[in-house]
Amino acid sequence: MGDVTAGLEGLAERLRGIAGAENVITDPAELRTYECDGLTYHRATPGVVVLPDGAEQIAGIVRACTADGVPYIARGSGTGLSGGALPRTDGVLIVTSRMRRILEIDIDDERAVVEPGVINLDVSKAVRPYGYYYAPDPSSQQICSIGGNVAENSGGAHCLKYGFTVNHVLACEVVTPGGEIVEISEAPGYDLLGVFVGSEGTLGIATKITVRLTRLPEAVETLLAAFDSIESAGEAVSAIIGAGVVPAAIEMMDALAIEAAEAAVRCRYPEGAGAVLIVELDGPDAEVRRQFAQVEDLCRDAFEIRVAADDAERALIWRGRKSAFAAVGRISPDYIVQDGVIPRTALPEVLARIDELSGDSGVRVANVFHAGDGNLHPLVLFDDAVEGAGERAELVSAQILDLCIEHGGSITGEHGVGVDKAKHMPRMFTEEDLDTMQMVRCAFDPAGLCNPGKIYPTPRLCGEVPGRRTKVHPLVESGKADLF
Ligand SMILES: Cc1cc2nc3c(=O)[nH]c(=O)nc-3n(C[C@H](O)[C@H](O)[C@H](O)COP(=O)(O)OP(=O)(O)OC[C@H]3O[C@@H](n4cnc5c(N)ncnc54)[C@H](O)[C@@H]3O)c2cc1C
């Protein structure tokens, strides 16, 4: 046990009654384990951490928090990169790591039912003997949870062909902010499942998830193509997609990202490459062979092409890409993982602009990205020990998001808005847009206690603290909507 944050003593005692004393953490040193997610420069020590073992316990915890007006936040594995699971010192963090059971595997109907704390890759491991896998594959798939994936609508290298998490979730059991346990599924009527997936933990807590299983492909072919420049690699991407080929994945890394990966995992990508492309095709054998020949031809400007002869060589090709975020730590003490989207056709122009921004500011930027769907992950490097370096990196990072917006893209592709990008939302949405989104949130969570302070820059509806708003929302004024 230990000290309890002032004001939360009574609640902590009730949470012990709900989840068991051993599953409620109040010791200040132990609480620090949970003070951030993968975005480590936002930190807050949670008031109380509770590790429930089922939906009934979560419902009890949510009801207890609501009765006391205490905010609560769900956390899966804490690998999020936008501060979505950032706790609050005056709140309760509900961690799903004890809920890791795969409850059902139904091969005939190609689905599995899992608890929210189940690790993404464990679903694929469990169904592989039946010839199936779970398609969404974030690079963090060895540790991130399905509950976190649902909340972030996570993507991954193979989501170009197979779609994001939302395309692979068939139903969710959810504890609502009212403390009820409800099932939302692909039923007729409003697409509540579509609203819930990607809601970043602000509309309730997923306690059971039914996921779609995908048959393992008959054939897989992977190549690594090394280009002199990022522009020629970008042109190859456009040519491949333009030819009507939809690879399972097309990933690009620039010279700085390659340098980092080499230092970290010795991936042995061709020396002197300005950029490498990893292209993977999967599907029926005959189709894969035909399209693979096409892709090799479209990569004709590459100075070297390597084709994986077997699974071991395929793993070697992927090793550099999958390790890229962490690998950057080898060449820079600190870095920001940015996540933005642009139309694929804008790739050459935007990458050239990022290069200019980097040159002008002296801030190095390594580029690793899902090239097929225009989802950039610029890694903005800095040394926090150097005065002002963090601010300069933040500025470049924000300018990159501006470029994405200018080119008709988005401020996030798959990592979510969380706490980190809330301030950028008004650059993409009008005040009316944001208020309308808030009204959806208020319909689920009128008390505003479910992961507050995330996504929206100036919370001012429901019971949240008023922000900059100076006039009544037009929908409210016209009588078409109420403030909850
Ligand atoms: C090295 C690395 C690589 C990554 N690669 C990718 C990638 O390729 N693609 C990608 O999309 N992301 C990637 N990520 C980001 C991250 O892994 C994903 O966002 C992931 O889905 C987060 O899962 P988590 O279990 O760690 O969630 P957490 O970080 O614990 O939480 C994330 C959000 O989900 C909410 N949440 C958690 N559980 C629940 C629940 N049961 N019900 C409701 N809300 C819940 C939290 O409140 C929070 O808002 C990467 C991260 C790292 C560190």
Side-chain angles (χ1 to χ4, degrees), residues 296-314:
E296 278 187 284
D297 182 45
L298 293 167
C299 287
R300 65 183 85 90
D301 288 341
F303 67 80
E304 186 175 336
I305 293 184
R306 289 180 193 167
V307 179
D310 51 32
D311 283 348
E313 286 191 17
R314 189 176 350 275

Side-chain angles (χ1 to χ4, degrees), residues 37-38 73-81 84-85 96 116 137-140 143-145 147-149 151-152 154-157 196 200-201 204-207 325 370 414-415 451:
D37 62 6
I73 294 133
R75 174 177 162 121
S77 301
T79 66
L81 290 172
T96 61
D137 61 338
S139 303
S140 52
I143 48 167
C144 66
S145 74
N149 293 173
E152 299 290 3
S154 296
F196 186 79
E200 303 192 23
I205 301 181
T207 47
F325 289 179
H370 307 307
E414 55 183 12
H415 295 169
N451 207 6

Side-chain angles (χ1 to χ4, degrees), residues 150-174:
V150 168
E152 299 290 3
N153 187 19
S154 296
H158 292 81
C159 291
L160 171 64
K161 177 171 177 182
Y162 291 99
F164 280 56
T165 300
V166 70
N167 304 111
H168 299 269
V169 172
L170 301 170
C172 273
E173 179 188 86
V174 173

Side-chain angles (χ1 to χ4, degrees), residues 369-383:
F369 50 97
H370 307 307
D373 42 22
N375 186 185
L376 305 179
H377 287 317
L379 302 159
V380 184
L381 315 188
F382 66 101
D383 180 353

Side-chain angles (χ1 to χ4, degrees), residues 195-443:
V195 173
F196 186 79
V197 177
S199 60
E200 303 192 23
T202 61
L203 302 184
I205 301 181
T207 47
K208 207 192 278 181
I209 299 136
T210 305
V211 295
R212 186 192 302 284
L213 302 177
T214 304
R215 202 181 272 274
L216 284 166
E218 187 186 358
V220 183
E221 289 285 1
T222 311
L223 69 71
L224 178 87
F227 294 83
D228 288 326
S229 70
I230 203 148
E231 288 77 20
S232 49
E235 279 159 20
V237 173
S238 295
I240 292 166
I241 304 286
V245 178
V246 182
I250 310 188
E251 299 286 301
M252 198 192 295
M253 292 167 70
D254 72 3
L256 196 52
I258 298 168
E259 181 191 326
E262 181 58 36
V265 295
R266 302 245 165 279
C267 49
R268 301 272 181 250
Y269 289 168
E271 261 178 51
V276 292
L277 275 189
I278 298 173
V279 187
E280 189 157 283
L281 293 171
D282 68 10
D285 192 38
E287 181 185 297
V288 168
R289 267 189 284 140
R290 183 177 55 78
Q291 291 193 335
F292 200 69
Q294 227 179 327
V295 168
E296 278 187 284
D297 182 45
L298 293 167
C299 287
R300 65 183 85 90
D301 288 341
F303 67 80
E304 186 175 336
I305 293 184
R306 289 180 193 167
V307 179
D310 51 32
D311 283 348
E313 286 191 17
R314 189 176 350 275
L316 188 65
I317 287 179
W318 275 111
R319 197 160 76 193
R321 168 61 187 92
K322 295 253 172 184
S323 69
F325 289 179
V328 167
R330 296 289 181 124
I331 58 167
S332 175
D334 302 285
Y335 58 96
I336 297 168
V337 180
Q338 191 48 280
D339 167 44
V341 183
I342 51 167
R344 211 168 25 233
T345 45
L347 268 176
E349 194 185 328
V350 170
L351 291 171
R353 286 284 295 125
I354 292 177
D355 201 38
E356 275 171 35
L357 283 174
S358 170
D360 293 348
S361 62
V363 174
R364 292 188 302 161
V365 180
N367 286 292
V368 180
F369 50 97
H370 307 307
D373 42 22
N375 186 185
L376 305 179
H377 287 317
L379 302 159
V380 184
L381 315 188
F382 66 101
D383 180 353
D384 211 18
V386 177
E387 208 184 316
E391 287 73 20
R392 282 195 293 281
E394 270 278 358
L395 182 65
V396 169
S397 188
Q399 287 169 330
I400 292 174
L401 289 186
D402 283 338
L403 280 177
C404 293
I405 298 169
E406 271 167 36
H407 286 82
S410 164
I411 58 169
T412 172
E414 55 183 12
H415 295 169
V417 177
V419 76
D420 192 46
K421 289 192 171 165
K423 61 181 178 291
H424 298 301
M425 289 287 272
R427 289 147 89 173
M428 199 167 159
F429 298 103
T430 65
E431 206 163 82
E432 282 70 27
D433 292 336
L434 291 171
D435 279 355
T436 305
M437 290 185 220
Q438 280 265 40
M439 285 184 176
V440 175
R441 178 181 188 162
C442 294

Side-chain angles (χ1 to χ4, degrees), residues 17-83:
I18 294 167
E22 67 285 12
N23 299 311
V24 176
I25 299 171
T26 54
D27 177 76
E30 287 181 45
L31 288 175
R32 293 200 58 194
T33 309
Y34 300 94
E35 68 185 3
C36 65
D37 62 6
L39 188 73
T40 54
Y41 57 84
H42 292 283
R43 288 173 193 266
T45 308
V48 177
V49 169
V50 55
L51 297 100
D53 191 28
E56 290 294 344
Q57 289 189 4
I58 293 186
I61 294 162
V62 166
R63 284 196 293 267
C65 289
T66 306
D68 283 17
V70 170
Y72 54 88
I73 294 133
R75 174 177 162 121
S77 301
T79 66
L81 290 172
S82 55

